């Protein structure tokens, strides 16, 4: 299967296949988790990591809103030489009562020329994105369906996985 990297093509195809992707998510949930399936996920991710460099894309930074915890705030505040309160007031909204926050704008203000300006200290939710290495991450959230239109890795991952699992529309 050819890897698609063009962001406009990914968005177009993803939107046209949205119903099919929801059907595939249901299909995955019905299969259930297995060591074999997790090995397949890792194999596909390894294949894509050699072809797609997410540091050259930055599309997730233009469309997604990361969730931050206290450690993220402390780490990035120090990097920017701001107090935690200054950083929070400038960049964040309270997300939950459990001291979680989200960025107060998109695109991310730390995206500069397609590169994260705080990359070494980036938020944990950014570090683990796109979270495709296990069944529980891939099959548990419909949020990944939305991200097929944003992330070349997620888009291609799902398309390769459909092919490998011989998924057919019902």
């Amino acid at each position: 299967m050819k890897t698609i990297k063009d962001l406009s093509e990914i968005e177009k195809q993803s939107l046209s296949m949205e119903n099919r992707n929801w059907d595939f998510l249901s299909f995955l949930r019905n299969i259930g988790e297995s060591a074999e399936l997790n090995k397949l996920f890792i194999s596909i991710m390894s294949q894509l990591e050699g072809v797609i460099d997410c540091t050259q894309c930055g599309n997730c930074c233009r469309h997604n809103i990361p969730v931050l915890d206290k450690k993220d705030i402390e780490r990035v505040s120090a990097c920017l030489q701001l107090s935690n309160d200054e950083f929070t007031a400038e960049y964040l909204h309270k997300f939950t009562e459990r001291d979680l926050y989200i960025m107060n704008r998109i695109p991310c203000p730390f995206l500069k020329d397609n590169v994260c300006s705080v990359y070494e200290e980036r938020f944990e939710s950014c570090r683990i994105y796109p979270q495709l290495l296990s069944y529980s991450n891939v099959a548990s959230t419909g949020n990944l369906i939305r991200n097929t239109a944003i992330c070349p890795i997620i888009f291609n991952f799902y398309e390769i996985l459909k092919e490998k699992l011989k998924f057919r529309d019902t």
Side-chain angles (χ1 to χ4, degrees):
M1 176 180 185
K2 182 181 176 201
T3 305
I4 299 173
K5 297 179 190 176
D6 179 83
L7 295 175
S8 60
E9 183 62 25
I10 286 171
E11 181 178 23
K12 183 176 101 181
Q13 284 191 33
S14 210
L15 294 174
S16 73
M17 296 186 298
E18 185 174 6
N19 289 336
R20 184 172 194 258
N21 285 339
W22 282 108
D23 290 344
F24 182 63
L25 184 62
S26 294
F27 171 80
L28 275 179
R29 288 177 177 158
N30 288 332
I31 290 175
E33 187 169 6
S34 71
E36 205 172 291
L37 194 55
N38 283 330
K39 284 180 190 174
L40 178 59
F41 292 172
I42 292 167
S43 169
I44 295 170
M45 282 301 292
S46 296
Q47 173 187 340
L48 291 172
E49 286 171 353
V51 177
I52 298 171
D53 179 2
C54 63
T55 63
Q56 299 301 307
C57 176
N59 210 31
C60 56
C61 303
R62 284 187 282 284
H63 295 279
N64 291 336
I65 301 174
V67 176
L68 290 71
D69 64 16
K70 184 179 176 181
K71 289 180 184 177
D72 288 320
I73 293 168
E74 290 169 355
R75 195 173 54 253
V76 177
S77 294
C79 174
L80 297 172
Q81 300 178 343
L82 297 172
S83 72
N84 292 349
D85 289 341
E86 290 171 322
F87 177 78
T88 300
E90 174 72 21
Y91 296 106
L92 306 178
H93 284 303
K94 183 94 169 180
F95 183 57
T96 69
E97 295 304 316
R98 299 180 327 172
D99 289 330
L100 294 176
Y101 292 81
I102 59 172
M103 298 299 294
N104 61 10
R105 66 195 101 162
I106 53 175
C108 179
F110 305 115
L111 182 66
K112 307 287 186 215
D113 299 321
N114 248 15
V115 178
C116 178
S117 62
V118 294
Y119 187 79
E120 293 301 318
E121 304 300 329
R122 69 193 179 281
F123 314 124
E124 186 62 24
S125 59
C126 298
R127 288 176 192 273
I128 62 175
Y129 188 84
Q131 305 167 325
L132 296 172
L133 292 177
S134 73
Y135 173 86
S136 59
N137 289 332
V138 173
S140 65
T141 178
N143 194 38
L144 287 174
I145 299 299
R146 183 182 69 82
N147 281 291
T148 60
I150 295 169
C151 176
I153 291 175
I154 294 174
F155 174 84
N156 286 285
F157 176 88
Y158 267 96
E159 293 310 302
I160 293 168
L161 189 58
K162 287 174 194 172
E163 185 178 290
K164 298 276 186 191
L165 295 177
K166 299 179 183 1
F167 174 72
R168 303 287 178 246
D169 294 311
T170 53

